[in-house]
Every structure is written in structure tokens, then in C-alpha cells.
Amino acid sequence: MRVAFTAVPDSHLPAVDELLSIAVNALGGSERQGQITMVNAVQRAIDRKEHLAVQAGTGTGKSLAYLVPSIRHAMDTDKPVVISTATIALQRQLVDRDLPRLSEALAKELPHEPTFAILKGRRNYLCRYKATAGWPEEDEQDQLFDPREVSATGRMVQRIQEWAEETETGDRDELVPGVSEQAWRQFSVSAQECLGASRCPSGAECFAEMARARAGEVDVVVTNHALLAIDAMGELPVLPEHDTVVVDEAHELVDRVTSVVTGELSETSVMLAVRRVGRLIEQPIADQLMEAGEDLKALLAAAPAGRVDELPQVLGMTLALVRDAAARCVTALGPRGADKDDPDRAGQRKAAFTALDEVHDTAVRMLEAYGHATEADRAEVVWLDAGSDRRPPTLRVAPLGVAGMLRERLFGDRTVVLTSATLALGGTFDGMARQWGLTGPSATGPGVVGSGTNGSDGDSGAEPAQAAKAGEWQGIDVGSPFDHQRAGILYVAKHLPQPGRDGLPQAYLDEITELIEAAGGRALGLFSSMRAAKAATEALRDRLDVPLLCQGDDSTMLLVKQFAEDEPTCLFGTLSLWQGVDVPGPSLRLVIIDRVPFPRPDDPLTSARQRHVAAKGGNGFMSVAATHAALLLAQGTGRLLRSQHDKGVIAVLDPRLATARYSGFLLGSLPPFWRTTDPAVPRAALKRLATEPS
């Protein structure tokens, strides 16, 4: 039984379920119980100023379920609602398809036709002043010396220049095909480098400022998790004033926020600061930073990659040299607000301050990551990324958790609705809620999966005495319109050996071959590493009579398109396919997962987080590694059923999903497919599906 939420009635606007019904009818759809439950739950959360986590399976129509109450709230308060997504694809779906159609459908029922806009970080918009004045010039050393690379970059630069003369938005995404970061960097500035609209000669026609102005005048602002984090955690607001946020693809929130607050220090970042400041201060002072950067380069080149648990004396001394040299350069630059009457020089100084601040502050963070009495007291982890032919070794620092930041800065003064098809891991929202910082008590009722730390079972329909506090939340699973028991089989190959570190066992390759032959192709292979995906592709191309594509053969978008359009074709790949493939219909009848997708044991951040949880008395494996695996498994198995008519098999080759002590937690995180460990069952089902007419 699911909870029926009743929204608080409003005096002058139609009820939210009435608006939903109008929208669904206008769009030619049909109402679904999960969608109705969700739209009322979201409205209730907004009315009560209470945080809400909603698990809504594929096909629920969750976009409409949060857009309708969001638009209604914006109309009622004259404040925009912010919708945050993790992927560009969902942003484009909302802005290009869902919101235009919904706005038209609801226009006659509301005071005005709902308006919307997309807002991105400043780096995504062309800087008119930099494009014309050319400050600061990107140094030749930023370019690769391969003549072909230089020529390709030159062609991209020319294309940007031509586009700059005609674009009305300055949005980088208008450039199709896209351009390299190296080329785009010559036409864009970060928020820290920007002179500001009042001081910039091109401020009156700034694309980024125009985008912000549009966002401040609409009912719905669509943005991404990174910009949401920057807005919440920065000193100056980026988004327009708002009191309600909807976080779609909420399972990605923690990783995206972590990326935003991760610091990097390398030869490249130090030398960029040297070049930016070199012509603005006395050479001997700039030379000190260059020498410190050269010391850092030599040290990182010789050091082993991986987590740096204890600060070696030589690394500590080198970081201190970098920190102090950067500080002396900042002092030598003089007051930050100088040169107001000389925009060119002001721009050069602003860019120099930005590069120096990044180097100085990151070195400080790394030094302060050490010196704690116990592992449980640590707040951050430092590790060395070995780099590649194109990237130098890089030292990184990241927080062991972002729950405190999110609780204080994101959830503290606004209502937040978080939704995804995969949030209830192991049958509860508690694991995700802890990562978000939602640890306070939650009113839970029948059918509600979430709970707070007190595990209360209060009546979810009761009105609260006061607005919810920052840590209070409620979780609800509105289900899925799919009949998973009838439409899909979850087959765990219990008879196979456990996966090892030496590549795919022959038994796995045999199993994959037999399953694909039974299905007549139509298989999506999700592998835990690119090495495994490529190895399987090479081994099976000669054994199978169907086309076999592998991620990396072409752009992922084109590979997925080819896979969807040619029914017998199979596609093998790794992480982006686990979460980014939407192929309804007969082209996808079989999803193969080679192993439970635990994080790599040597992954610096996840291993440090796991150890940190254990040091504080928790179960590090379950809190970090198993939660990571459950989330990816849920995403991967979700590729099978994308429409009401889809059917098929999910084959997990890793027997641990059936035999390990943690298998119950993992299985409890997946949709309720019919389960079997008998190899004959999925083969027979796939053969039947292969003979059905398309």
C-alpha cells in the first residue's frame, strides 16, 4: 500500500492533481498511479517546507510529476524553482521538449504561460571581451607541439570566431560538432577571472549576464548539479533567489559535488600561474614560483601513484615552497581592485589572481589534510594521479564526505526534492540520505521506504507543528508502471567461478556466447572495466554471427544509435553505458553484467572513505563499496525495461550476487524481476523472444 498525499489547497490556483490531469490529457498520455502519488508528494513537501526523496521507476513520468507542482509554486510565490540535472541529455529534454509542451498545456489554467530558461556556468558562454581584446593570451606552451594538433586547434578557433559573429546566446553547446577545451578556453573566462559586468567594456552585452538575467525572470530555471553546488557553497549567488530545488538524477549528486570541491595541483597549474603573473610583477619573484613548480614536477614524476596517507617530509617542504611563492606573487600584484580604468590590464591581473589563488589555496588544503590524531578525525584525502602522455602527474585533494556541506549549504534554507529511478538501496533511502546529510528524523508512513535516524513510524499525513529543519526528510517509492515479474528475468550465473583479476575466465566467455546466440544478438554488455569490455569483444567477434560493437570504436552516441537501429547488433562497454542507454523495443532483449561493480580496491577516494567510516565505528564496506555497487547495479539493470512492451533477461555472471553475505542488500536494491540461477531458464526465454515478431 502506498501513501496517498493530499496537498494543502491554494486559494487561487487549480489543485496540483487537476493541473496534472490537464497536462497529461493535453500531451496525449494517460495518468499513472505512481505519477499521481509523486505529484501530490512533491506539492506537500513544498507546502510543508520539507525535504523529500522520491524513487520513481522508469516510465513513471517523473518529470511531469515534479514540473507541475514546481510551476504552480513559482506562480504562487513569484519566485523561480530550480531544476538540477546531472546530464546534458536530461537538461535538453526538459528545455527542448518537456517544458515547452507543458507550458502550452497549462497556459490557460494559470495567471500566465509558464516560462523557463537554462543556466550554465560562466565557462560555458562566449566572453565577448576576451574574444575581441584577447586577454590574457593563452601561452604557446599550453598547446601540444604536434603540428596536427595545432592545426586542428587553429581550425576550431577559426570556427568559434565565425560563430561568435552570429550567435545570439553564446552557449558553447550551439557549436556542433564541438570544440576542444584548449580552443574554447581562448574565448571564455571562469567566474573568478571575470571582470564583472560593471567594469567590463562588453558587460552590457555579456552572454553569461544575459543568461542570468533571463533566469531571474522565469518560473523554472534548469541547471546542473555542479552549478547548483557552486551556488550553494560560494560566497556570491549564481542562481536567482529561490526557495525550492528539484534534484533529478539525484543518485549523481554526491559525486558531482565532490568533483566541484576537489582541488588539483600539478606542474601545469603552477606554470599557468607563472605565465599569468610573469609580465605583471618583478621577474625574480615570479621565478621563485617557477622554481617551486619545477621542484613539484620532479617530485611528482618520481612518486608512486595512489593515496598519500602520511605526508612525506620532502612533499611537505615542496608544498610549502609552492604555497609561499604563490603568496609572494599575490602580494607583488598589489591591491585586487586596481587598474579600474584599464580593462586590458585589469583582465590580466584578475586572471593572474585566479591562477595564483588556486595554486596557493590547494597547497594549503593539502598541508592541512594531515596532522590529525586519528583516522576518524581526518576530513580530506590526498592522492597522486599518475597522469598520461597528455596529462602530467597531478596531486589531488578531496573531502571524505560532502554530507555536512550539503546539509548546511544546500538543505539549510530551502526545500529540496530529490528524485531518481534508483535511490532506495537495500530497500531503504537511509544510505543515500546519509550521503546527502539528511540525518534528522523523518515522518514515515505505510509504503514509505525512507526514515530518519530515529526510525520513527509516525503518521505521514499529520500536519507538522513547524516547518521541517535542515536534516528532516521523507522518502517514498512511487513504484514503476512495469510488471517486472512478468517482463524480465534476473538470472545470476551461480555455477560460474568468482571473477578474478586476470581478465574474463573462459567460462564467462562461453556463457556470454550462449546467451547472445539464444537471443539472436540484441545484447548490451555492461562491463566493470574498459579492459574487460575490449577483451570480451576481441574474443567473441569471431565466435558470434551478429555484429558486435565496443565502446571506443566510435562516439558513444553513434554506437548507441547503431545498436538501436539494427536489431541483431550487440554493444559492449563500461560506465557511461551503465547509466546512459535508453533503447526501448526489440533491439535490447539481453543485458549482460560481468561482475558486481564494486569500486577498485586501489581507488584513492573510495578506499579512503571506506577506511574513514570504519575508523568511526561503521561498516566501511557496506557504507561505501556495497552502496556504490548497489547503485550501479540498479542503474545497469534499469537498461532492460524502457517501455511498457519491453521484455528480456538480465544476466549477472558474478555468482557473488547469489552467494555472498551482502547479496541480500544488493538484490534489495534492484527492481523486482523474476529471479533464477538455472541457466536453462534465460536461454529458453531468449529463444522465445527471438522468434516473436518485432
Side-chain angles (χ1 to χ4, degrees):
M1 177 177 130
R2 294 194 178 91
V3 178
F5 290 109
T6 303
V8 177
D10 193 272
S11 58
H12 66 285
L13 294 174
V16 69
D17 47 1
E18 181 182 344
L19 290 174
L20 176 65
S21 179
I22 292 168
V24 170
N25 290 333
L27 299 179
S30 58
E31 290 190 0
R32 307 158 200 171
Q33 184 55 51
Q35 189 180 54
I36 296 170
T37 302
M38 179 174 174
V39 78
N40 282 290
V42 172
Q43 183 63 53
R44 180 176 179 274
I46 292 173
D47 289 337
R48 292 183 57 176
K49 298 180 173 61
E50 181 179 75
H51 305 309
L52 174 70
V54 185
Q55 177 163 285
T58 302
T60 301
K62 63 182 170 66
S63 296
L64 271 188
Y66 64 67
L67 287 174
V68 168
S70 295
I71 289 172
R72 186 177 185 276
H73 179 67
M75 294 279 181
D76 193 36
T77 61
D78 202 28
K79 288 183 180 179
V81 172
V82 172
I83 310 294
S84 179
T85 78
T87 61
I88 293 174
L90 181 53
Q91 283 182 28
R92 299 263 44 116
Q93 176 190 315
L94 291 172
V95 173
D96 295 341
R97 191 186 74 181
D98 294 349
L99 279 164
R101 298 168 67 200
L102 179 59
S103 295
E104 183 179 356
L106 298 182
K108 295 180 181 178
E109 311 299 326
L110 298 170
H112 63 261
E113 182 170 334
T115 55
F116 53 91
I118 189 168
L119 187 60
K120 305 174 183 178
R122 191 171 292 270
R123 271 285 191 195
N124 292 277
Y125 299 99
L126 178 87
C127 173
R128 287 188 189 271
Y129 183 55
K130 189 172 183 181
T132 55
W135 65 265
E137 292 291 346
E138 298 297 338
D139 195 281
E140 291 178 355
Q141 295 179 54
D142 286 346
Q143 299 186 7
L144 299 170
F145 289 105
D146 185 335
R148 291 170 297 178
E149 293 287 348
V150 174
S151 177
T153 300
R155 288 193 295 271
M156 290 179 186
V157 167
Q158 183 177 356
R159 191 152 60 86
I160 297 171
Q161 289 171 331
E162 294 170 354
W163 166 77
E165 297 295 324
E166 60 187 34
T167 179
E168 296 181 359
T169 67
D171 188 336
R172 179 181 179 177
D173 285 343
E174 283 185 6
L175 281 163
V176 180
V179 297
S180 70
E181 184 63 29
Q182 181 181 324
W184 181 252
R185 198 167 58 227
Q186 299 180 46
F187 295 86
S188 66
V189 296
S190 66
Q192 293 76 20
E193 293 169 331
C194 178
L195 288 171
S198 62
R199 296 173 58 195
C200 177
S202 300
E205 51 185 2
C206 173
F207 288 123
E209 291 298 324
M210 287 192 289
R212 283 193 66 186
R214 284 193 298 272
E217 297 172 351
V218 300
D219 300 308
V220 176
V221 178
V222 178
T223 189
N224 57 63
H225 294 352
L227 194 63
L228 180 69
I230 291 169
D231 177 75
M233 297 174 191
E235 295 182 4
L236 297 175
V238 179
L239 298 168
E241 183 181 350
H242 59 281
D243 60 14
T244 302
V245 176
V246 177
V247 181
D248 201 342
E249 301 176 310
H251 61 280
E252 294 265 24
L253 181 62
V254 169
D255 285 345
R256 299 303 171 100
V257 172
T258 300
S259 295
V260 167
V261 296
T262 296
E264 298 182 356
L265 195 60
S266 68
E267 166 205 355
T268 300
S269 59
V270 176
M271 292 310 171
L272 175 62
V274 171
R275 294 194 294 275
R276 290 275 173 88
V277 78
R279 301 185 184 96
L280 302 173
I281 65 174
E282 295 179 5
Q283 194 62 43
I285 299 177
D287 287 346
Q288 291 178 26
L289 182 58
M290 182 174 67
E291 291 167 4
E294 290 172 348
D295 289 345
L296 180 69
K297 174 185 177 181
L299 179 61
L300 298 186
R307 214 172 56 221
V308 185
D309 292 331
E310 302 296 333
L311 182 64
Q313 183 178 11
V314 64
L315 178 58
M317 293 173 60
T318 304
L319 289 174
L321 285 173
V322 171
R323 175 198 63 194
D324 296 342
R328 283 191 288 271
C329 289
V330 168
T331 301
L333 272 176
R336 292 183 182 252
D339 298 308
K340 292 182 180 179
D341 299 328
D342 185 351
D344 285 354
R345 184 170 174 81
Q348 293 168 8
R349 295 180 77 253
K350 192 81 181 284
F353 275 123
T354 299
L356 289 169
D357 287 343
E358 181 178 347
V359 167
H360 174 271
D361 295 350
T362 304
V364 169
R365 274 182 71 183
M366 290 174 175
L367 289 167
E368 291 180 347
Y370 301 96
H372 300 285
T374 67
E375 177 68 29
D377 295 327
R378 285 194 173 182
E380 299 205 290
V381 58
V382 178
W383 73 95
L384 177 61
D385 184 333
S388 65
D389 293 340
R390 292 174 176 266
R391 293 184 298 106
T394 300
L395 206 58
R396 305 184 195 277
V397 57
L400 286 165
V402 295
M405 297 181 203
L406 290 173
R407 180 169 57 249
E408 179 182 349
R409 307 303 293 272
L410 178 61
F411 297 101
D413 58 357
R414 70 203 85 189
T415 299
V416 182
V417 175
L418 307 109
T419 186
S420 170
T422 50
L423 292 180
L425 304 180
T428 174
F429 287 105
D430 289 355
M432 295 301 296
R434 280 192 296 270
Q435 292 185 18
W436 296 328
L438 296 180
T439 55
S442 163
T444 60
V448 179
V449 186
S451 69
T453 53
N454 65 352
S456 64
D457 290 319
D459 178 7
S460 64
E463 291 301 317
Q466 59 186 12
K469 298 177 182 178
E472 294 180 345
W473 59 283
Q474 188 171 72
I476 179 171
D477 181 1
V478 301
S480 166
F482 301 150
D483 186 346
H484 289 87
Q485 289 272 334
R486 292 180 177 273
I489 295 172
L490 175 61
Y491 160 58
V492 182
K494 187 178 178 181
H495 63 285
L496 292 180
Q498 286 195 18
R501 297 184 178 181
D502 301 325
L504 290 171
Q506 184 61 43
Y508 279 44
L509 296 173
D510 294 341
E511 187 82 18
I512 295 171
T513 300
E514 293 175 13
L515 287 166
I516 290 178
E517 287 176 342
R522 309 178 187 190
L524 176 66
L526 303 178
F527 292 85
S528 54
S529 69
M530 185 56 73
R531 186 181 69 170
K534 289 181 176 179
T537 303
E538 292 172 3
L540 297 180
R541 269 187 172 144
D542 293 336
R543 296 176 61 175
L544 294 170
D545 294 329
V546 295
L548 180 53
L549 308 175
C550 184
Q551 194 173 5
D553 291 347
D554 205 331
S555 75
T556 300
M557 181 178 68
L558 291 176
L559 290 173
V560 172
K561 184 173 184 290
Q562 186 176 344
F563 171 59
E565 291 177 349
D566 184 31
E567 283 189 22
T569 296
C570 300
L571 174 60
F572 288 1
T574 185
L575 187 59
S576 62
L577 299 187
W578 285 75
Q579 306 185 75
V581 175
D582 186 6
V583 179
S587 291
L588 177 52
R589 293 300 195 204
L590 170 64
V591 175
I592 300 171
I593 295 175
D594 70 329
R595 63 192 297 160
V596 176
F598 290 115
R600 289 171 55 97
D602 58 353
D603 180 85
L605 185 54
T606 54
S607 62
R609 285 176 168 173
Q610 188 169 326
R611 193 174 63 173
H612 183 68
V613 170
K616 294 171 76 74
N619 187 323
F621 172 79
M622 293 301 296
S623 295
V624 180
T627 295
H628 176 278
L631 191 56
L632 266 183
L633 269 179
Q635 286 287 309
T637 56
R639 299 310 96 201
L640 181 66
L641 304 184
R642 309 303 296 178
S643 75
Q644 291 283 359
H645 303 293
D646 289 346
K647 298 177 182 177
V649 171
I650 296 162
V652 180
L653 308 184
D654 189 339
R656 293 176 296 179
L657 188 58
T659 61
R661 66 185 187 284
Y662 48 77
S663 62
F665 172 77
L666 297 179
L667 290 169
S669 306
L670 305 183
F673 294 106
W674 193 81
R675 299 175 188 168
T676 184
T677 58
D678 182 352
V681 172
R683 287 163 174 73
L686 289 168
K687 288 177 180 177
R688 286 195 301 273
L689 288 174
T691 61
E692 289 185 357
S694 299

